[in-house]
Amino acid sequence: MKKGRIKTNYFSRDRWIQLILLVIILLVCGRLVVLQVVQASNLKAKGIERRTIDQSLRPDRGAIFDAQGNVLAQSIPVKEVYADPRMLSKQIENKKFERSKEDVAKELGSILEIDPQAILDKLNKDRAWISLAHQVDIQKADEIKALKIPGVGYSEEEKRVYPMGMFAASALGIVNGDGHGVEGVEYYYDKELFGKPGFQSEEQDTKARSILDALNQGDPSRPGNSITLTLDATIQYYIEQQLDQAMKATNANSVTILAMDPMTGRVLGMGSRPSFDPTDYNNVTPEVRRNLAISMSYEPGSTFKIITGAAALEEGKIQPDDTFEDPGFLRISPLYITNWDSDQKPHGYPTFTEGMQLSSNVVLAQVGLKMGKAIFDTYLKAFGFGSKTSIDISGEESGLLLPEEKIREIDIATMSFGQANSVTPIQLLTAISAIANGGTLYRPYIVDKISTFDGQIVEQKQPTSVRQVVSQSTANQMTNILEQVVSNGTGNTASIPGIRVAGKTGTAQKVDPKTGGYSTTDFIASFVAYAPAEDPKIAVLVIIDTPKTEEGHQGGTLAGPRAKAIIEGALQYYGLPVSNDTQSTVVISPSDTAVRPLPQPVIPERTPIGGEIVIPDLTGMTMRQAGETLAKSELHFDFSGSGLVNQQSPQAGKIVTRGATVEVKFSPLTP
């Protein structure tokens, strides 16, 4: 065999292609580098310096919508204005810029609405970069650009705006200057809303102009996700109206209202007064910004009797028709338990149901003593008291329960009618919703879904069952009792003809911080209710802290009508029928023909500009249609009457700013 050499092909066709591409890339990059060197020399010859600016690109923060799709929070582009004091000084010294620093400070101060001296102090610093102002509107930034001040530059920022003003402010929370949420939903879902930051490296000349031939590099930012709340704008409007009216009527320290779907734990609305403008949060204290619906820790008073009664019924310790002696007081040595109306009359021998109607402390104290501290403590914890509900919003408190080992007989008695332990509004309404829905405790939640900026759903929230607290039969028994509280007892101010409303009043003495005992002048008036009792669509809790009014301090008198107004409005909004003897239906004679008026095309009085909206025509709309139409237009409303819209102010076609209030009057349709 003839020996020979084996040829090896070290460079395949693919290897040659890769080598050629590499050479081309090196030649191109080398040319760009040469061009940059030449350009830098040319610029230097002209007295123009170049510099590299590295910027972090803040992502677009996601929007927040209500359940109807109305925008509650969104971000708009603004600018940060910065300066290079050294560059400005050099340009002035070399007489390449004719104006002085004092002139520049006056010009910038006038546009930015900042003290010129403060700007001048910054421009006089020996630094290469200093921030002059954040959150500058685009229009103002353009005015500054037109001045062509050397060394003054701009970076992209966002400004968080809330189109509906103070609407649900404490629930939404606030966003700081860095674009991060620090309170409320904005904070809890900050990771989802914020997005992914990017960066950009750019070469500029002394006039902050981009050098186009430079090798600018960067990584684009990724917008944050948007979230849709369970809050319904229409129901939230009812809550906001009642908050304002209650605060004005009672001159209270605070008013808190919370609404929930008791069948799922969805929060339908929440708010409190005093309130604040989330775009101007620095001018209010953190105390004003507190979301009282989840953070207020208070002794609930008689609304808590619902929990005591349900636990005793479930354990078989009592029956609805069991009788109790109630002379108006109960001695538990060395103290006496008395009723709110003990100075008026003894109650004799009421049944448990009658004791609930009368809101008798004496009856409920005896019920608690029948259970004993071990059983009572077990049910308190089962209903969720003493621990957070884990609602998806920041700022929740856990309330406070007396440790079981420290509970005395007198404590059992006072716990039974809502004193000694402290709860939060969200805890109480969540627990009472378990009675409303048949015995299941749900975790409350306020975010319905999370979506990408282009509308793709990332996560759809679902109701979360925590545990079965009481049986269906116990829940039904307690609901029937609470119906009688509204129809025949202290809760009659919340009665709605044609609707089965279950509810309970609450009037709790506050602890006097000076004496450590209960105050004889300061109270918390409250009311809780849900309806329709047979298939609840909404549960509402109203809390008025320290009312100062001639009407007194009773929960039924002060808070009951507020709960009724919200429930009645919500049921009309849901389209649920009510009785024929109320004015909430559109009534016409069957023998006559009536023509329902319809909204007409609107001709605006002029062209709206930024932040303005054209008032729509609401003629002939139902309350639900009018509420949805105004909410989509980002307008507040004040409803009166019932039936169909027959009057509105301002009139259709008028131009108003977003968030303005439209007064709407309804009346039945007649032939």
Side-chain angles (χ1 to χ4, degrees):
M1 178 180 292
K2 189 176 180 180
K3 294 183 180 180
R5 294 181 179 179
I6 300 174
K7 289 185 177 181
T8 302
N9 184 9
Y10 289 103
F11 290 96
S12 64
R13 182 167 176 263
D14 290 344
R15 288 286 181 90
W16 278 111
I17 291 173
Q18 292 175 358
L19 182 61
I20 291 169
L21 289 174
L22 179 60
V23 171
I24 291 172
I25 291 171
L26 290 172
L27 289 172
V28 171
C29 290
R31 180 177 179 275
L32 289 174
V33 170
V34 171
L35 285 173
Q36 289 187 64
V37 171
V38 172
Q39 187 180 44
S41 299
N42 292 336
L43 291 171
K44 190 170 184 180
K46 295 177 181 179
I48 300 175
E49 298 180 3
R50 65 190 297 167
R51 58 181 178 176
T52 300
I53 301 296
D54 293 324
Q55 293 186 46
S56 175
L57 301 179
R58 183 184 296 181
D60 294 337
R61 189 173 179 85
I64 301 177
F65 302 93
D66 86 313
Q68 297 180 15
N70 302 301
V71 178
L72 300 181
Q74 63 184 3
S75 295
I76 60 174
V78 290
K79 299 284 188 180
E80 177 191 17
V81 179
Y82 59 82
D84 182 341
R86 290 176 183 169
M87 179 181 293
L88 178 60
S89 297
K90 193 170 184 180
Q91 293 292 305
I92 294 174
E93 289 170 5
N94 294 335
K95 297 184 179 180
K96 293 178 180 178
F97 183 68
E98 296 179 354
R99 301 193 293 278
S100 67
K101 286 186 178 180
E102 287 77 8
D103 295 333
V104 170
K106 288 178 182 178
E107 291 173 325
L108 294 178
S110 176
I111 296 173
L112 296 172
E113 298 179 2
I114 298 175
D115 180 8
Q117 185 60 48
I119 295 178
L120 182 61
D121 290 343
K122 291 183 177 181
L123 295 179
N124 283 330
K125 292 182 182 294
D126 183 22
R127 295 173 62 177
W129 186 96
I130 193 166
S131 178
L132 298 180
H134 289 277
Q135 306 276 294
V136 178
D137 293 340
I138 300 295
Q139 181 181 355
K140 291 184 177 181
D142 289 341
E143 291 180 36
I144 294 173
K145 286 182 182 178
L147 298 175
K148 298 181 180 180
I149 302 170
V152 173
Y154 316 88
S155 60
E156 302 294 330
E157 286 189 335
E158 280 191 338
K159 181 179 181 180
R160 198 63 164 173
V161 295
Y162 300 84
M164 296 190 183
M166 296 191 297
F167 188 86
S170 61
L172 294 172
I174 57 176
V175 174
N176 65 16
D178 295 326
H180 285 286
V182 291
E183 291 176 11
V185 170
E186 294 273 29
Y187 174 75
Y188 193 95
Y189 285 93
D190 185 64
K191 183 178 179 181
E192 289 80 6
L193 289 164
F194 186 75
K196 179 185 176 183
F199 80 92
Q200 177 177 312
S201 181
E202 179 182 58
E203 293 221 6
Q204 295 181 347
D205 64 18
T206 52
K207 294 184 178 180
R209 296 176 301 194
S210 175
I211 299 173
L212 299 179
D213 290 338
L215 280 173
N216 298 329
Q217 299 178 350
D219 181 22
S221 60
R222 187 177 65 197
N225 292 328
S226 295
I227 61 177
T228 299
L229 303 183
T230 60
L231 290 185
D232 187 294
T234 301
I235 294 174
Q236 183 68 28
Y237 274 129
Y238 293 138
I239 290 174
E240 300 281 345
Q241 290 170 353
Q242 293 305 315
L243 285 168
D244 289 335
Q245 292 176 20
M247 197 69 178
K248 183 178 179 180
T250 65
N251 193 29
N253 288 355
S254 68
V255 181
T256 304
I257 301 179
L258 176 64
M260 183 184 294
D261 175 1
M263 309 303 287
T264 62
R266 292 169 61 92
V267 174
L268 302 176
M270 63 167 57
S272 58
R273 293 292 183 272
S275 189
F276 67 99
D277 180 353
T279 62
D280 192 26
Y281 62 86
N282 283 323
N283 288 327
V284 296
T285 64
E287 183 65 22
V288 172
R289 298 199 305 265
R290 279 181 63 200
N291 185 347
L292 297 180
I294 63 170
S295 67
M296 177 185 182
S297 189
Y298 74 110
E299 295 185 10
S302 294
T303 52
F304 200 79
K305 292 172 181 175
I306 300 172
I307 307 302
T308 304
L313 288 169
E314 181 72 11
E315 285 295 308
K317 298 297 182 180
I318 61 168
Q319 296 299 322
D321 295 331
D322 286 354
T323 59
F324 297 83
E325 183 179 5
D326 183 1
F329 65 90
L330 175 67
R331 185 182 183 194
I332 301 178
S333 183
L335 303 175
Y336 283 88
I337 300 296
T338 59
N339 293 326
W340 64 276
D341 58 352
S342 292
D343 60 334
Q344 300 172 26
K345 60 179 179 179
H347 295 149
Y349 291 87
T351 64
F352 170 69
T353 299
E354 292 169 340
M356 288 290 288
Q357 294 175 31
L358 296 164
S359 197
S360 168
N361 293 343
V362 171
V363 169
L364 268 294
Q366 294 176 69
V367 171
L369 292 169
K370 277 179 173 287
M371 280 193 293
K373 68 177 182 179
I375 293 176
F376 204 173
D377 185 69
T378 297
Y379 275 91
L380 292 179
K381 292 173 180 174
F383 272 108
F385 298 107
S387 59
K388 296 180 180 180
T389 65
S390 297
I391 184 174
D392 51 339
I393 186 171
S394 70
E396 183 182 13
E397 297 292 341
S398 60
L400 184 64
L401 295 181
L402 288 174
E404 182 186 345
E405 65 275 9
K406 294 185 178 180
I407 296 176
R408 304 164 298 165
E409 188 178 40
I410 187 63
D411 297 322
I412 297 174
T414 56
M415 287 162 51
S416 301
F417 52 83
Q419 298 205 217
N421 291 322
S422 64
V423 305
T424 63
I426 190 67
Q427 283 178 337
L428 185 61
L429 193 59
T430 299
I432 292 172
S433 291
I435 304 298
N437 68 37
T440 302
L441 188 74
Y442 282 94
R443 174 186 170 184
Y445 64 107
I446 196 170
V447 169
D448 177 59
K449 62 183 177 183
I450 303 173
S451 308
T452 60
F453 71 96
D454 57 356
Q456 300 297 315
I457 296 179
V458 175
E459 182 180 359
Q460 177 68 60
K461 305 285 186 176
Q462 299 294 335
T464 303
S465 171
V466 179
R467 67 181 71 88
Q468 186 79 18
V469 187
V470 295
S471 64
Q472 179 78 55
S473 60
T474 294
N476 290 344
Q477 281 182 315
M478 183 53 64
T479 292
N480 290 334
I481 292 169
L482 295 176
E483 279 188 72
Q484 295 180 61
V485 171
V486 173
S487 59
N488 303 315
T490 56
N492 60 356
T493 56
S495 177
I496 303 173
I499 296 291
R500 294 172 57 193
V501 180
K504 184 71 189 72
T505 57
T507 308
Q509 291 174 285
K510 293 181 65 174
V511 173
D512 186 333
K514 294 181 179 179
T515 65
Y518 286 106
S519 171
T520 58
T521 58
D522 294 344
F523 297 82
I524 292 180
S526 62
F527 195 91
V528 66
Y530 52 89
E534 68 278 13
D535 184 20
K537 297 295 186 295
I538 183 171
V540 176
L541 175 61
V542 179
I543 303 168
I544 303 174
D545 182 3
T546 320
K548 306 171 190 70
T549 171
E550 294 179 359
E551 293 183 79
H553 51 257
Q554 298 301 325
T557 303
L558 301 180
R562 309 297 171 193
K564 173 186 175 179
I566 295 167
I567 291 173
E568 190 168 24
L571 296 185
Q572 288 184 358
Y573 165 61
Y574 289 147
L576 296 181
V578 295
S579 98
N580 292 331
D581 54 3
T582 66
Q583 295 183 346
S584 55
T585 55
V586 179
V587 181
I588 62 173
S589 171
S591 62
D592 293 320
T593 301
V595 179
R596 175 176 176 176
L598 297 174
Q600 300 299 311
V602 174
I603 301 176
E605 60 181 351
R606 60 174 173 80
T607 302
I609 58 177
E612 293 184 334
I613 196 78
V614 180
I615 296 288
D617 187 8
L618 308 173
T619 303
M621 290 186 180
T622 64
M623 188 172 290
R624 179 172 185 170
Q625 291 170 332
E628 289 176 343
T629 300
L630 292 173
K632 288 177 182 177
S633 298
E634 301 177 21
L635 294 169
H636 294 246
F637 52 78
D638 186 5
F639 287 168
S640 62
S642 57
L644 302 177
V645 177
N646 70 340
Q647 293 182 44
Q648 66 179 82
S649 179
Q651 298 297 316
K654 293 292 184 182
I655 305 296
V656 298
T657 57
R658 295 181 189 275
T661 298
V662 181
E663 295 183 1
V664 185
K665 294 184 179 180
F666 297 80
S667 66
L669 179 62
T670 56

